[in-house]
Amino acid sequence: MKVLRCVNIPTTKIETMREFYAMVFETPGDDSHGGPNRVEFQTGNVMLVLCRVSTPPVVHPESCGLEFETENIDAEYERLKNAGVSLDEPPVTYPWGWRAFGFRDPDGNHYDFVQYVGGNA
């Protein structure tokens, strides 16, 4: 069995990205393992790590995104909308039982917040 432990997000704007992720995940992040060039955000069993790079990453608009499960999708949508995050659209409930909305970070990486609401998962 393989278990995802960590996802690294390269960025030249680590301060901007840290502020954004601190707001999204409601935690300040931890830079004790790499100083100003590395910030870690624990999200369940997976660590999301911002890594400072010297060349801006190119993010294709249809690239793979990350998905985070939440307990109250509508409250998260309102919280992020009120914080000024540019959201793709209001939450949508899919026939397979998940409700979701998407957004992008300041570098253009795509994320979905999801909640299981019933149906065929």
Side-chain angles (χ1 to χ4, degrees):
M1 177 173 74
K2 310 293 185 258
V3 176
L4 181 63
R5 189 185 76 76
C6 179
V7 174
N8 292 297
I9 308 292
T11 183
T12 57
K13 303 180 284 193
I14 201 158
E15 293 81 12
T16 300
M17 294 282 276
R18 179 183 192 153
E19 183 177 306
F20 178 82
Y21 283 96
M23 183 273 305
V24 167
F25 293 123
E26 301 179 285
T27 182
D30 178 8
D31 61 7
S32 65
H33 298 104
N37 295 318
R38 178 183 172 94
V39 181
E40 300 175 348
F41 292 89
Q42 188 69 46
T43 62
N45 293 330
V46 178
M47 182 79 65
L48 188 137
V49 179
L50 302 177
C51 303
R52 185 186 309 272
V53 293
S54 58
T55 304
V58 177
V59 179
H60 189 280
E62 295 180 17
S63 66
C64 176
L66 297 177
E67 183 175 285
F68 295 89
E69 188 171 355
T70 184
E71 294 179 1
N72 188 331
I73 196 75
D74 296 299
E76 285 297 321
Y77 176 81
E78 290 300 322
R79 184 180 70 82
L80 294 179
K81 182 175 83 171
N82 291 336
V85 174
S86 178
L87 303 164
D88 294 346
E89 60 183 50
V92 173
T93 302
Y94 294 98
W96 46 89
W98 288 88
R99 188 160 169 76
F101 69 89
F103 59 96
R104 294 187 183 275
D105 71 15
D107 279 352
N109 298 296
H110 185 262
Y111 296 89
D112 288 323
F113 273 15
V114 302
Q115 178 185 3
Y116 183 67
V117 293
N120 299 324

